[in-house]
Amino acid sequence: MAQNKNNAVIHCGHLNGLVTLWSPASSEYLVKMLCHKGAPVQSMAIDKTGRYMVTGGADSKVRIWDLRMYKETHSYYTAGGSPTSIDISQKGILGIAHGTRTTFWSPAALRSKVKDPYMSHTVNGKGPIETLRFRPFEDVCGIGHAKGFSSIVIPGSGEANLDSMEYNLNPYQDTKQRREAEVRSLLDKLSPDMIALDPDVIGTVEESDNHSKLERQQEMEKVANERKLKESEVKPKEKKRMRGRNKIQKKLNRKKKNVIDENVIKLREANEKQKIESEQAKRGDEEIDAKMKAPAALKRFF
């Protein structure tokens, strides 16, 4: 695993030869690259400009990748063992540890393939090399192996000019300066959500049309409503529906009402006739009741 110092994106190597790029703002990887087919990724390094990535696999290959296009530019073969540790100095010198040997390539080896290395060193009788790291602001490289630690001088590997204004780089700062530097670094620190593949996007003005702005606003409102709903844990009210309204039998009955045939006509006529007869019988019963209830002097009018 290595971090790109230019945009703070994390590069992770996997056993299947893949390298994935991760950002805290995303739950999924940003980029997936097949760097070593059929061989696990054992070591990795990114230069300080963030343009080139160097990967070392179990196939004894060191591949140089251009992160602007995510393509391989060229590769080197490591004799004597697979590359176990890779580091790039401040001046761009590429250091590779393979087996009991270390090979150093000039800064031009990142941009194009170079025939011969810049320097080489062998650690005899001390076992395989596990770690190789350059010391910042000094022309020194540290080598960690099975018998301990060794250091060698690599001319031109460190930055000669020390910028004392950078955080934690002033060797002569006192307690007050150290405290102020810590506060200043926290104020200048960006939110982890702003980490992206393109570091130049921070501080720029986004250009978009009204339609894109409206879609973005609607999406933000939707996310805010979902978050508010989760926090309040209030279920949305369900629409009241009539019981049995959507049953199949009810639907069929509603459809049959619109169908007219001979039987339906006969049934309607019979119902109307029966209704008329019942009304007439009821009216007759009412007349008889009135006649019976009327006084004897008024019965002659019925």
Side-chain angles (χ1 to χ4, degrees):
M1 183 174 66
Q3 185 185 35
N4 191 339
K5 301 297 183 181
N6 189 36
N7 54 12
V9 174
I10 300 297
H11 297 231
C12 298
H14 302 273
L15 294 176
N16 55 359
L18 292 175
V19 173
T20 53
L21 278 62
W22 296 85
S23 170
S26 177
S27 59
E28 296 183 357
Y29 54 81
L30 303 177
V31 179
K32 182 172 69 173
M33 304 167 59
L34 180 59
C35 296
H36 297 270
K37 187 175 181 180
V41 179
Q42 294 183 333
S43 55
M44 189 190 316
I46 301 102
D47 69 333
K48 65 177 183 179
T49 62
R51 297 180 180 178
Y52 298 100
M53 178 180 67
V54 184
T55 59
D59 53 355
S60 299
K61 287 277 188 173
V62 175
R63 303 181 186 274
I64 314 297
W65 301 85
D66 192 339
L67 294 178
R68 294 168 293 183
M69 302 179 294
Y70 302 105
K71 291 183 179 180
E72 180 185 357
T73 57
H74 53 283
S75 62
Y76 298 98
Y77 178 76
T78 57
S82 59
T84 56
S85 182
I86 297 175
D87 194 20
I88 301 175
S89 70
Q90 292 178 325
K91 283 297 187 179
I93 293 180
L94 173 62
I96 304 171
H98 48 99
T100 59
R101 301 173 59 185
T102 56
T103 307
F104 301 93
W105 299 83
S106 63
L110 295 177
R111 296 184 292 272
S112 61
K113 190 165 185 178
V114 179
K115 184 178 180 181
D116 298 324
Y118 174 60
M119 290 181 65
S120 61
H121 178 71
T122 304
V123 182
N124 294 323
K126 296 182 180 180
I129 298 174
E130 297 179 1
T131 308
L132 182 145
R133 291 293 181 268
F134 288 98
R135 183 175 176 84
F137 304 105
E138 292 185 11
D139 297 341
V140 177
C141 178
I143 302 172
H145 44 73
K147 295 295 182 65
F149 174 79
S150 302
S151 60
I152 57 176
V153 177
I154 307 297
S157 62
E159 182 70 41
N161 300 321
L162 177 65
D163 188 2
S164 60
M165 296 301 294
E166 292 187 14
Y167 172 67
N168 206 19
L169 289 182
N170 186 7
Y172 305 106
Q173 64 182 357
D174 54 9
T175 305
K176 183 178 179 181
Q177 290 176 340
R178 187 181 299 109
R179 184 170 58 251
E180 292 178 354
E182 290 178 358
V183 174
R184 191 179 297 108
S185 64
L186 292 175
L187 291 175
D188 295 339
K189 184 179 179 181
L190 290 176
S191 174
D193 297 338
M194 296 184 180
I195 296 177
L197 290 175
D198 185 11
D200 297 332
V201 72
I202 304 298
T204 59
V205 179
E206 183 180 4
E207 297 180 0
S208 59
D209 53 355
N210 295 330
H211 182 68
S212 300
K213 291 180 180 179
L214 182 61
E215 288 184 351
R216 193 181 307 108
Q217 185 178 1
Q218 291 177 354
E219 185 176 357
M220 292 173 62
E221 290 178 355
K222 183 179 179 181
V223 172
N225 292 334
E226 290 178 354
R227 188 184 299 110
K228 189 182 296 183
L229 185 63
K230 289 181 180 179
E231 292 177 355
S232 59
E233 295 182 357
V234 177
K235 295 183 179 180
K237 294 183 179 180
E238 296 183 357
K239 185 179 179 181
K240 293 184 178 180
R241 298 165 63 182
M242 294 179 63
R243 182 175 294 179
R245 180 72 177 175
N246 292 330
K247 288 186 177 180
I248 298 177
Q249 190 64 31
K250 295 287 185 180
K251 291 182 179 180
L252 294 176
N253 292 337
R254 286 198 299 269
K255 289 182 179 179
K256 286 183 179 180
K257 288 183 180 179
N258 299 326
V259 179
I260 300 176
D261 55 0
E262 296 180 357
N263 296 328
V264 174
I265 295 174
K266 291 179 180 181
L267 182 62
R268 288 181 180 177
E269 291 178 354
N271 292 335
E272 290 178 359
K273 185 177 180 181
Q274 186 177 2
K275 186 177 180 181
I276 293 172
E277 291 178 355
S278 62
E279 289 179 355
Q280 290 178 356
K282 186 177 180 181
R283 194 180 301 114
D285 294 339
E286 290 177 356
E287 291 178 356
I288 293 172
D289 292 341
K291 185 177 180 181
M292 293 297 293
K293 293 179 180 180
L298 299 177
K299 286 184 180 180
R300 61 191 182 120
F301 295 103
F302 288 99

